[in-house]
Amino acid sequence: MSDSESAPAATTPGAGRSASALPPEAAAIALGYAATGPALDLGALLWDGRCLPDARIRVPLAALNRHGLVAGATGTGKTKTLQLIAEQLSAQGVPVFLADVKGDLSGISAPGAPGDQVRARADEVRQRWTATGFPAEFYALGGIGTGIPVRATVTSFGPVLLAKVLQLNRTQEQSLGLIFHYADTKGLELFDLKDLRAVVAFLTSDEGRAELKEIGGLSTATAGVILRSLTAFEAQGTAGFFGEPEFDTAELLRTASDGRGLVSVLELPAVQDRPALFSTFLMWLLADLFHDLPEVGDLDRPKLVFFFDEAHLLFDGASKAFLDSITQTVRLIRSKGVGVFFVTQSPKDVPSDVLGQLGNRVQHALRAFTPDDQKALRATVKTFPDSPYDLEEVLTGLGTGEAVVTVLSERGAPTPVAATRLRAPESLMGPLDAAALDRAVSASPGYARYAQAVDRESAYEKLTAARATAPTAPRAPATGPKAEPSMVEQVVGSGMFKSLARSIGTQVGREITRSLFGTAKRRR
């Protein structure tokens, strides 16, 4: 067991000598990181070009649901920082969710490999390093890649998130919201994209168009854009992300049999070319948790810490409604015991309303090669509390595995800014062997539960059946070539469809309750 798990909480800055042995400025900084309760050890203070292992930089466990930011240029060690924090959370019984965009976090389940670099880092920060693997489950969006498939129904995903994925504008997003509202009030479950297409086709038919008059109507042109966007989206091979069995986000809150928190790793390398999809799916997971979890107030430790990697992708091209929903979800979810860490290259990637809610900051090195880089550097410095460091100089001079840190203390106040040499992760720093990963996935009880997609009868199947059983109208005399009717025209023109439309129009509504993000409340 590592010293972060077994060492008693430090009440003074020094681990083995008095605070007076440290330079006065360093002692004052280290005092801000003293904790009387459970805490994570990030590393040791850097001061005046030296690493001071007696000045430990720690973050109270209770502060981890106050959210955070891990930022820095490519290659500065952000991924290893995620691994380091996740390990210590797991060791203290806190479940963790990690989005593994590059595919190199699966090694958290295997003991690390000792080597000269690891030993040197452990000696520098006075870490009792022990090779340790942590309990982990591996997931993959829609089963693309190696992992337990993660799917969502279209009904559950909701119109705001789906509009982001389909890259719809504000007017089209509002129209999609009308379509969902109609389906919700009429009890029409939208399990997959076929069902959504069928409902849009109905609402733009002569029979269905009247159904939307009371809630604003839906223009043929907008419906056409939505249908084309759905078709293009499916052509990218994305249909498998929507459907059943739907992933239950309560799976992310589990602990292992030995009491350690389960690390849920969502493998994303296979969908790196679909950034809007995977970033929005991450938001769905968070929104679903928010919707289902009860209020618990301030806990002594979070129920879950959720690491949102490549966070800039979430905000790129986002509508105001989407950004407002993110802001509200982040602000309110901490009272449900969930901490969220956004991981990105620069703080400017995160909107100011969200950034202001991130009480814990781990800022790796920034580059300043261009005028834009210089501007971003100055903007980053302004987001930190006053500090005795020259932060512009420090942030451009940090090495790999070093960062500038400020967190919330046990009193809820920001700690002094501390340049920090971070500890070494104790699990494998790299991807798990492919065969071992396959074995871990197939051996999981969750694989049997989620692996096989299910296609229950829903809107699409009912409309297809109506078309198949509709009586054939007598043929008109031939007057020349005529284009074959489209599938939609065939369906909406059938007698069975019109009967179905009338029954839908008079059905007693049972509207689905939706959250800030328009996600459907799960019926468990």
Side-chain angles (χ1 to χ4, degrees):
M1 181 177 291
S2 69
D3 53 338
S4 62
E5 300 170 51
S6 59
T11 56
T12 64
R17 66 177 79 167
S18 68
S20 61
L22 298 171
E25 298 94 335
I29 294 172
L31 188 61
Y33 290 86
T36 58
L40 309 185
D41 269 313
L42 296 182
L45 183 69
L46 289 170
W47 182 258
D48 197 22
R50 294 186 298 132
C51 179
L52 305 177
D54 294 322
R56 297 167 66 188
I57 305 304
R58 313 179 83 222
V59 52
L61 200 56
L64 267 295
N65 73 332
R66 299 302 182 96
H67 310 320
L69 176 74
V70 178
T74 301
T76 56
K78 295 191 301 295
T79 300
K80 300 302 177 285
T81 297
L82 304 191
Q83 194 166 344
L84 171 67
I85 297 175
E87 289 177 354
Q88 295 190 53
L89 286 167
S90 174
Q92 300 204 47
V94 178
V96 178
F97 172 86
L98 295 173
D100 188 8
V101 177
K102 296 186 291 292
D104 51 5
L105 280 169
S106 57
I108 198 168
S109 65
D116 292 341
Q117 288 185 321
V118 169
R119 281 189 287 268
R121 177 56 60 95
D123 289 344
E124 288 169 346
V125 299
R126 202 168 292 159
Q127 173 187 2
R128 295 196 297 271
W129 189 91
T130 304
T132 309
F134 295 82
E137 288 271 31
F138 302 99
Y139 297 96
L141 281 187
I144 297 181
T146 304
I148 299 165
V150 173
R151 304 181 189 87
T153 64
V154 172
T155 286
S156 176
F157 204 72
V160 177
L161 294 175
L162 189 59
K164 177 71 161 57
V165 168
L166 296 177
Q167 299 179 315
L168 303 181
N169 64 29
R170 178 61 176 157
T171 299
Q172 294 154 2
E173 177 184 319
Q174 292 171 337
S175 295
L176 187 63
L178 288 178
I179 295 166
F180 272 80
H181 175 71
Y182 181 81
D184 290 350
T185 55
K186 301 304 179 182
L188 297 174
E189 293 285 358
L190 307 175
F191 294 140
D192 53 30
L193 296 178
K194 300 193 306 295
D195 295 318
L196 180 58
R197 277 207 314 273
V199 171
V200 176
F202 164 60
L203 291 174
T204 53
S205 70
D206 290 339
E207 297 286 337
R209 197 175 293 121
E211 294 293 318
L212 275 183
K213 282 185 179 179
E214 294 183 4
I215 57 172
L218 177 68
S219 76
T220 302
T222 300
V225 170
I226 293 172
L227 285 170
R228 287 194 297 273
S229 297
L230 284 169
T231 301
F233 183 64
E234 287 185 287
Q236 299 172 21
T238 55
F241 299 115
F242 295 95
E244 294 186 305
E246 183 173 74
F247 181 69
D248 186 349
T249 51
E251 304 273 7
L252 306 179
L253 302 172
R254 293 178 294 149
T255 55
S257 58
D258 61 5
R260 291 186 295 173
L262 191 67
V263 181
S264 297
V265 182
L266 182 62
E267 296 282 319
L268 295 172
V271 293
Q272 282 189 86
D273 59 339
R274 303 177 182 92
L277 175 68
F278 76 68
S279 62
T280 310
F281 241 97
L282 294 181
M283 198 66 228
W284 172 75
L285 292 171
L286 197 59
D288 194 67
L289 284 165
F290 170 76
H291 209 168
D292 283 1
L293 290 174
E295 296 277 342
V296 293
D298 285 327
L299 302 174
D300 61 352
R301 65 188 59 215
K303 286 185 172 182
L304 172 73
V305 176
F306 191 105
F307 288 92
F308 207 124
D309 204 358
E310 299 290 344
H312 67 282
L313 298 171
L314 181 67
F315 305 111
D316 286 350
S319 68
K320 185 179 184 303
F322 191 83
L323 292 176
D324 287 346
S325 296
I326 294 172
T327 303
Q328 291 183 65
T329 301
V330 172
R331 184 173 68 247
L332 299 174
I333 201 170
R334 74 173 187 85
S335 66
K336 300 192 173 191
V338 177
V340 183
F341 273 72
F342 291 98
V343 186
T344 189
Q345 292 199 13
S346 170
K348 69 181 180 66
D349 295 335
V350 181
S352 57
D353 287 346
V354 176
L355 190 64
Q357 299 179 51
L358 310 182
N360 304 297
R361 300 274 301 278
V362 180
Q363 177 67 60
H364 288 267
L366 290 174
R367 309 304 183 207
F369 300 138
T370 68
D372 285 345
D373 291 342
Q374 297 272 1
K375 185 178 178 181
L377 174 62
R378 288 192 292 271
T380 298
V381 169
K382 289 178 181 178
T383 65
F384 281 91
D386 290 339
S387 164
Y389 292 100
D390 179 342
L391 284 180
E392 286 194 30
E393 181 180 341
V394 170
L395 285 172
T396 54
L398 291 169
T400 302
E402 297 177 346
V404 169
V405 174
T406 181
V407 301
L408 293 179
S409 69
E410 289 175 321
R411 297 183 297 107
T415 59
V417 176
T420 306
R421 183 158 292 161
L422 300 168
R423 295 158 62 97
E426 298 184 335
S427 56
L428 181 64
M429 288 188 279
L432 196 64
D433 173 79
L437 182 59
D438 284 337
R439 288 194 297 271
V441 171
S442 60
S444 169
Y447 187 75
R449 189 157 54 250
Y450 294 109
Q452 186 61 49
V454 175
D455 189 9
R456 289 194 288 161
E457 185 183 44
S458 48
Y460 174 82
E461 286 76 18
K462 290 176 181 177
L463 292 175
T464 300
R467 181 185 60 176
T469 58
T472 303
R475 284 186 177 273
T479 58
K482 184 177 181 181
E484 284 292 318
S486 69
M487 185 190 76
V488 170
E489 290 171 333
Q490 293 179 54
V491 172
V492 301
S494 70
M496 183 73 74
F497 180 87
K498 292 178 179 178
S499 174
L500 176 63
R502 285 192 292 271
S503 69
I504 289 174
T506 58
Q507 184 174 348
V508 177
R510 48 188 179 94
E511 186 168 3
I512 294 172
T513 302
R514 292 189 176 273
S515 70
L516 292 170
F517 255 111
T519 54
K521 186 172 179 61
R522 191 185 297 275
R523 289 192 286 268
R524 290 194 171 101

